[in-house]
Amino acid sequence: MTAKRTPREVLAESRRRDSREKRSKVLAVVDEMAARGDTVSFAAVAKAAGVSNWLVYAEGVREHIEAARKKQAGQPRREAQAGRSSSAASLATDLELSKQQITALRTERDQLKTALQRQLGQQLDQVGAAGLVARVDELTRQHAELTAERDALRQEKAELEGRLVEAEEDLAAARSSLRRMIRAENAGPAAAT
């Protein structure tokens, strides 16, 4: 016959069984995460297994998680060989291609900017040209009017100069005549005989 167990013993046995189940669940979760390629960390394992953080740090479990982490630390080389991550040469090539693309885009931007400036300049020239044509027409009309006015003033000046010459000749004749009259008057009646 089996000895009757005390409640204390029953409770201790139940706790040990629960601990073994949780530990085996944690170990299974670690193996699954490593097989899927998920990053193995203490917090991620605790969350995935649904256990407390202290259990994943407990002796017997901690070593298993650390071993899985070390194994994952050596995997980047295998991932690069399998094509899952980029090698340094691949990244350098991508960087160089990106630089070339940036240079090409900058050149294209500068060309588009220059073309836009030319187009805007032409539009301004066309808008300004209409105003300039009107201004040139106005100045041409004013020039014609001023030229006609100048010619009229020149003709008037020539006429006035001609009249002045005639007036001076008339004045000189009048002075000469006046002098003769004054001499004749001064000479008196005796000169008249």
Side-chain angles (χ1 to χ4, degrees):
M1 265 194 153
T2 57
K4 197 168 186 178
R5 296 185 304 168
T6 64
R8 182 177 184 184
E9 293 172 337
V10 172
L11 184 59
E13 179 61 31
S14 173
R15 285 186 179 164
R16 279 191 293 275
R17 187 174 2 120
D18 188 41
S19 176
R20 280 191 307 270
E21 287 174 4
K22 286 182 180 180
R23 285 174 182 254
S24 64
K25 184 176 181 181
V26 168
L27 297 177
V29 167
V30 169
D31 292 339
E32 287 174 16
M33 288 177 73
R36 283 194 311 257
D38 295 344
T39 303
V40 177
S41 68
F42 289 97
V45 170
K47 185 175 180 180
V51 296
S52 64
N53 285 336
W54 71 266
L55 180 61
V56 294
Y57 287 101
E59 192 174 321
V61 177
R62 179 183 66 235
E63 292 82 6
H64 194 70
I65 293 173
E66 286 175 348
R69 291 181 71 191
K70 285 180 185 177
K71 184 178 177 184
Q72 279 186 340
Q75 284 184 345
R77 182 181 303 152
R78 284 191 218 118
E79 288 178 358
Q81 291 170 350
R84 286 188 250 160
S85 68
S86 302
S87 67
S90 175
L91 292 174
T93 302
D94 288 346
L95 178 63
E96 187 60 34
L97 289 173
S98 297
K99 286 179 180 178
Q100 290 174 0
Q101 187 177 19
I102 288 169
T103 302
L105 288 172
R106 285 182 178 158
T107 302
E108 182 181 357
R109 178 204 62 196
D110 292 343
Q111 290 172 347
L112 290 172
K113 187 177 178 182
T114 302
L116 181 62
Q117 287 173 343
R118 267 195 239 115
Q119 184 179 11
L120 288 174
Q122 288 173 349
Q123 288 176 355
L124 287 175
D125 288 345
Q126 290 172 356
V127 168
L132 290 176
V133 168
R135 181 71 176 142
V136 167
D137 289 343
E138 175 65 23
L139 290 173
T140 303
R141 186 187 57 75
Q142 286 180 354
H143 175 70
E145 289 175 2
L146 290 173
T147 301
E149 187 177 340
R150 181 200 67 199
D151 292 343
L153 289 172
R154 281 184 179 167
Q155 185 177 359
E156 186 179 347
K157 177 187 169 210
E159 290 173 4
L160 289 173
E161 285 175 344
R163 286 172 54 193
L164 180 61
V165 168
E166 286 179 16
E168 286 176 349
E169 288 174 355
D170 288 346
L171 181 61
R175 283 182 185 162
S176 178
S177 176
L178 184 60
R179 276 191 225 121
R180 271 184 272 148
M181 280 176 54
I182 291 175
R183 276 192 225 135
E185 190 69 35
N186 285 343
T193 51

